[in-house]
């Protein structure tokens, strides 16, 4: 067995099903080894950025390792944005990049990207948890096992191995007869007990749930805790749906394009304990580090990443640990606390549900459909129509732009692990490609991408990958012929940026583009054309489909908290 075949064997043992990538000379040994594999299917993408995004999409929905590969040099640099996205959102992805033979290092081989060239190993260290060159075939087992273990250890993330062509051809074998168990989850029992004592006595507690709860698959445990003490739950934008949004204890989203309910309830001064779980209090989650959030007696922060605790708000209790296991232990500990006679009053029905009902009643008025000006779809109506036409078990991927603001604000997500937005790194194009990996991970669920025209132009060529492998992803392109977020941002700043800076461009016909790529392309010029019947037809056809929807470019998106942050923090 050569080193490349040995790597493939170890990936098979890990349960890897797909290798996403673009071929090239320097990675041929790996491609040949995968070709011989009965367990791993190569998925050839149209661009390496797409490969990395697709691996991320696969890992994001399945929780399993996504694996992508590229040739040396430009193939590897094309992976960077995708891997950085996985890094910022803690998604376990392994990138395998080719390399010229070590024997010609420094001699001017095309695409050389080793220690004496554009050093990929070093470049990748900045956005991976582990990056190394397999410089000796005898190191293969050690390095692959280390990479897989590190990718999965909480908080997860991408890893990278650079594979020189000569080393990959040499015989390699298992040096240590180990079986790895890296899916360990840990928590802090003492801190959890302390949190249980505070929560059991809280008068008006609130939970803020973040992406970490989704990463640890802790939705059930979150619901159990909320219902145990009748605690309202707000979700960060990335964690949308982690707690059912139609649950009577749901406050909806907090932060960017969040609901006014969450903000009002949390900042009304009455809340005495804020339990933050798996959320990092980043800009998008905290509306630019809203200072009102500081006004409470206790902030308990559960996070697997100790560096996030106390980073932005003073925290009375930090609990380092996996979100799911900690929530589970917290429930058990609280039940014990409630057994004591002095806390029996806590069992009475809290007033939280009533308060939320009242706030929801007020917000409902703000949620009425908007007029479709000049016969063009109002993007908010489009989001709501998508929601009502696609089945409840649909997986939604949302791209960066106004489109995400509309979706975060107006989609109602009740199923956990069903809404994905790459807000950690915030790169456009993720939702154009990642859904392809999601569809491979969960073939039975409808996968719908909500993307802007700008984001679709970045990685929408991966529609052809979906065509190649018969993956019925549906892309809805919010076509406003502009970088809408940039356009509206410029108008909303306290000191508006003068008109004339280019943010508009000539309209692209995405239905035709889709047809050219081999998919079904449908153009929607007016709202009446988007119907439940059309969606039924699309789902029944089981073909990759692009809906090119002309939307009202002037509809002002709910991006005001972001604009305020830019005004406040980015000013000179
Ligand atoms: C890769 C990348 N480039 C640039 C940006 C900056 N940016 C954020 S949103 C946006 C415009 C998005 O336009 P579009 O995809 O058409 O969505 P819309 O805002 O119009 O809904 C830009 C340029 C970014 N986030 N990512
Ligand atoms: Mg646009």
């Amino acid at each position: 067995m050569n080193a490349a075949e040995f790597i493939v064997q170890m990936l098979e043992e890990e349960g890897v099903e797909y290798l996403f990538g673009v071929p090239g000379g320097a990675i041929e040994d790996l491609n040949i080894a995968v070709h011989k594999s009965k367990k791993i299917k190569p998925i050839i993408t149209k661009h390496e950025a797409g490969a990395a995004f697709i691996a991320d999409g696969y890992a994001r929905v399945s929780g399993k390792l996504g694996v992508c590969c590229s040739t040396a040099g430009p193939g590897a640099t094309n992976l960077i944005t995708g891997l950085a996205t996985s890094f910022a959102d803690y998604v376990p992805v392994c990138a395998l990049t080719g390399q010229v033979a070590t024997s010609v290092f420094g001699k001017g081989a095309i695409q050389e990207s080793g220690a004496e060239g554009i050093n990929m190993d070093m470049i990748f260290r900045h956005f991976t948890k582990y990056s190394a060159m397999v410089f000796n075939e005898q190191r293969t087992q050690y390095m692959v096992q280390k990479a897989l273990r590190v990718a999965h250890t909480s908080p997860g993330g991408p890893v990278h191995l650079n594979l020189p062509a000569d080393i990959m051809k040499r015989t390699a074998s298992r040096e240590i007869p180990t079986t790895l168990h890296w899916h360990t989850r840990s928590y802090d029992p003492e801190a959890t007990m302390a949190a249980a004592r505070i929560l059991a006595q809280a008068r008006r507690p609130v939970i803020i749930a973040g992406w970490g709860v989704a990463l640890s698959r802790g939705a059930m445990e979150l619901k159990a805790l909320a219902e145990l003490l009748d605690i309202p739950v707000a979700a960060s934008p990335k964690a949308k749906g982690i707690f059912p949004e139609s649950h009577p204890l749901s406050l909806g989203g907090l932060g960017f394009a969040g609901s006014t309910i969450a903000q009002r309830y949390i900042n009304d001064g009455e809340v005495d304990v804020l339990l933050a779980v798996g959320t990092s209090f980043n800009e998008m989650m905290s509306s630019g580090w809203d200072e009102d959030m500081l006004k409470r007696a206790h902030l308990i922060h559960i996070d697997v990443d100790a560096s996030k605790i106390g980073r932005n708000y003073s925290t009375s209790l930090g609990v380092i640990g996996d979100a799911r296991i900690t929530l589970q232990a917290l429930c058990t500990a609280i039940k014990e606390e409630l057994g004591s006679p002095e806390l029996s009053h806590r069992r009475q029905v809290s007033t939280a549900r009533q308060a939320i009902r009242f706030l929801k009643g007020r917000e409902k008025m703000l949620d009425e459909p908007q007029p479709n000006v000049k016969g063009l779809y109002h993007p908010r109506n489009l989001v709501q129509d998508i929601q009502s036409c696609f089945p409840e078990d649909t997986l939604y991927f949302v791209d960066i732009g106004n489109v995400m603001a509309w979706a975060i604000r107006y989609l109602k997500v009740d199923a956990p692990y069903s809404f994905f937005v790459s807000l950690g790194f915030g790169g456009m194009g993720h939702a154009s490609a990642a859904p392809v990996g999601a569809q491979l991970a969960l073939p039975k669920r409808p996968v719908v991408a909500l993307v802007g025209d700008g984001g679709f132009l970045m990685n929408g060529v991966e529609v052809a990958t979906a065509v190649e492998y018969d993956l019925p992803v549906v892309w809805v392109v919010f076509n406003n012929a502009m970088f809408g977020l940039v356009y509206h941002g410029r108008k909303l700043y306290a000191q508006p940026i003068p008109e004339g800076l280019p943010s508009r461009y000539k309209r692209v016909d995405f239905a035709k583009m889709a047809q050219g790529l081999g998919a079904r392309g449908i153009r929607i010029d007016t709202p009446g054309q988007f119907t439940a019947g059309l969606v039924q037809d699309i789902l029944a056809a089981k073909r990759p489909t692009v809906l090119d929807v002309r939307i009202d470019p002037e509809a002002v998106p709910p991006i005001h908290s972001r604009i305020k942050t830019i005004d406040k923090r980015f000013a000179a």
Side-chain angles (χ1 to χ4, degrees), residues 118-155:
I118 297 165
N119 191 330
M120 282 312 146
D121 166 19
M122 288 297 170
I123 292 173
F124 276 58
R125 284 185 191 196
H126 297 285
F127 47 86
T128 57
K129 291 179 73 188
Y130 174 57
S131 171
M133 180 188 287
V134 180
F135 56 84
N136 179 325
E137 66 281 8
Q138 300 307 338
R139 300 276 291 169
T140 309
Q141 182 186 7
Y142 165 78
M143 285 186 160
V144 173
Q145 287 192 337
K146 178 171 177 182
L148 299 183
R149 193 170 60 237
V150 166
H152 277 296
T153 308
S154 283

Side-chain angles (χ1 to χ4, degrees), residues 48-54 56 60 68 77-88 91 93 127 158 425 430:
E48 291 87 351
F53 280 148
I54 292 171
D56 175 286
R60 224 171 254 260
C68 55
T77 50
N78 277 350
L79 290 174
I80 289 177
T81 308
L83 281 193
T85 299
S86 306
F87 188 63
V91 180
V93 169
F127 47 86
F425 199 47
H430 177 261

Side-chain angles (χ1 to χ4, degrees), residues 88-319:
D89 285 341
Y90 307 101
V91 180
V93 169
C94 175
L96 300 169
T97 59
Q99 182 58 278
V100 302
T102 53
S103 52
V104 297
F105 272 16
K107 296 190 174 187
I110 185 166
Q111 298 175 343
E112 176 184 345
S113 39
E116 294 180 55
I118 297 165
N119 191 330
M120 282 312 146
D121 166 19
M122 288 297 170
I123 292 173
F124 276 58
R125 284 185 191 196
H126 297 285
F127 47 86
T128 57
K129 291 179 73 188
Y130 174 57
S131 171
M133 180 188 287
V134 180
F135 56 84
N136 179 325
E137 66 281 8
Q138 300 307 338
R139 300 276 291 169
T140 309
Q141 182 186 7
Y142 165 78
M143 285 186 160
V144 173
Q145 287 192 337
K146 178 171 177 182
L148 299 183
R149 193 170 60 237
V150 166
H152 277 296
T153 308
S154 283
V159 293
H160 166 241
L161 290 176
N162 187 240
L163 313 175
D166 51 343
I167 309 284
M168 287 302 105
K169 288 185 178 60
R170 293 191 195 147
T171 305
S173 58
R174 201 172 292 269
E175 301 281 306
I176 333 152
T178 54
T179 320
L180 287 180
H181 294 285
W182 47 70
H183 298 276
T184 47
R185 292 159 181 274
S186 54
Y187 81 106
D188 176 344
E190 272 175 33
T192 305
M193 285 299 293
R197 277 194 290 276
I198 296 172
L199 277 169
Q201 303 198 33
R203 274 176 294 105
R204 203 167 159 97
V206 169
I207 298 173
I208 302 178
W211 174 236
V213 184
L215 285 168
S216 77
R217 303 271 144 172
M220 248 172 53
E221 290 74 7
L222 173 68
K223 192 152 164 269
L225 175 63
E227 289 177 347
L228 178 66
L229 290 178
D230 239 20
I231 313 179
V233 181
S236 73
K238 279 196 293 189
K240 190 175 172 65
I242 193 66
F243 188 75
E245 291 193 289
S246 52
H247 193 289
L249 286 170
S250 170
L251 294 168
L254 185 67
F256 178 78
S259 83
T260 55
I261 300 171
Q263 216 170 15
R264 285 215 182 101
Y265 194 93
I266 290 173
N267 292 340
D268 74 354
E270 296 287 318
V271 169
D272 57 343
V273 178
L274 196 61
L275 173 69
V277 50
T279 184
S280 68
F281 289 100
N282 64 20
E283 179 206 324
M284 300 307 254
M285 174 266 163
S286 64
S287 297
W289 305 282
D290 184 351
E291 275 150 31
D292 282 346
M293 289 239 254
L294 292 167
K295 295 178 193 159
R296 58 195 37 81
H298 282 297
L299 169 60
I300 305 173
H301 192 175
I302 302 170
D303 207 290
V304 76
D305 181 354
S307 75
K308 298 294 188 301
I309 294 176
R311 175 173 70 151
N312 291 323
Y313 293 104
S314 80
T315 308
S316 42
L317 181 63
V319 185

Side-chain angles (χ1 to χ4, degrees), residues 53 81 379 399-406 425-430 432 451-459 477-488 503 505 510 551 553 557 559 562:
F53 280 148
T81 308
D399 209 51
I400 306 300
N402 284 343
V403 63
M404 75 186 165
W406 295 115
F425 199 47
M428 289 160 69
H430 177 261
S432 304
V451 295
D453 46 349
F456 193 70
L457 283 167
M458 291 199 178
N459 297 92
V477 182
F478 285 52
N479 191 342
N480 51 10
M482 61 153 91
F483 293 131
L485 184 59
V486 175
Y487 172 83
H488 283 283
S503 49
Y505 38 79
F510 294 102
I551 58 159
I559 57 173
R562 166 91 178 127

Side-chain angles (χ1 to χ4, degrees), residues 23 161 302 324 334 379 386 462 487 524 543:
L161 290 176
I302 302 170
R324 178 162 78 80
I334 289 171
I386 291 169
E462 300 306 337
Y487 172 83
I524 306 280
R543 279 184 65 196

Side-chain angles (χ1 to χ4, degrees), residues 392-571:
E392 272 178 25
D393 66 341
T394 299
L395 293 173
Y396 290 104
F397 277 75
V398 176
D399 209 51
I400 306 300
N402 284 343
V403 63
M404 75 186 165
W406 295 115
I408 291 169
R409 182 73 181 80
Y410 293 107
L411 271 183
K412 285 270 171 288
V413 184
D414 279 337
Y417 326 123
S418 301
F419 178 91
F420 302 95
V421 58
S422 66
L423 264 177
F425 199 47
M428 289 160 69
H430 177 261
S432 304
V436 175
Q439 188 74 81
L440 280 164
L442 295 178
K444 294 208 176 97
R445 289 182 63 178
V447 178
V448 175
L450 274 57
V451 295
D453 46 349
F456 193 70
L457 283 167
M458 291 199 178
N459 297 92
V461 285
E462 300 306 337
V463 166
T465 308
V467 170
E468 188 72 41
Y469 299 98
D470 268 333
L471 301 166
V473 175
V474 179
W475 286 264
V476 183
V477 182
F478 285 52
N479 191 342
N480 51 10
M482 61 153 91
F483 293 131
L485 184 59
V486 175
Y487 172 83
H488 283 283
R490 286 173 175 169
K491 282 175 61 155
L492 290 171
Y493 292 136
Q495 290 197 315
I497 292 176
E499 264 287 347
L501 277 177
S503 49
R504 295 173 184 270
Y505 38 79
K506 285 195 179 143
R507 194 181 295 279
V508 173
D509 186 330
F510 294 102
K512 280 198 182 138
M513 174 177 158
Q515 287 157 10
L517 294 170
R520 192 172 175 193
I522 301 167
R523 190 166 134 181
I524 306 280
D525 289 311
T526 57
Q529 291 171 270
F530 185 85
T531 61
L534 176 68
V535 171
Q536 293 276 309
D537 182 60
I538 290 169
L539 292 171
K542 292 193 166 62
R543 279 184 65 196
T545 300
V546 176
L547 284 160
D548 177 359
V549 188
R550 308 291 154 106
I551 58 159
D552 177 0
E554 297 302 332
V556 181
I559 57 173
H560 301 80
S561 70
R562 166 91 178 127
I563 301 304
K564 252 196 232 157
T565 308
I566 295 181
D567 273 337
K568 208 161 51 176
R569 316 265 169 193
F570 295 11

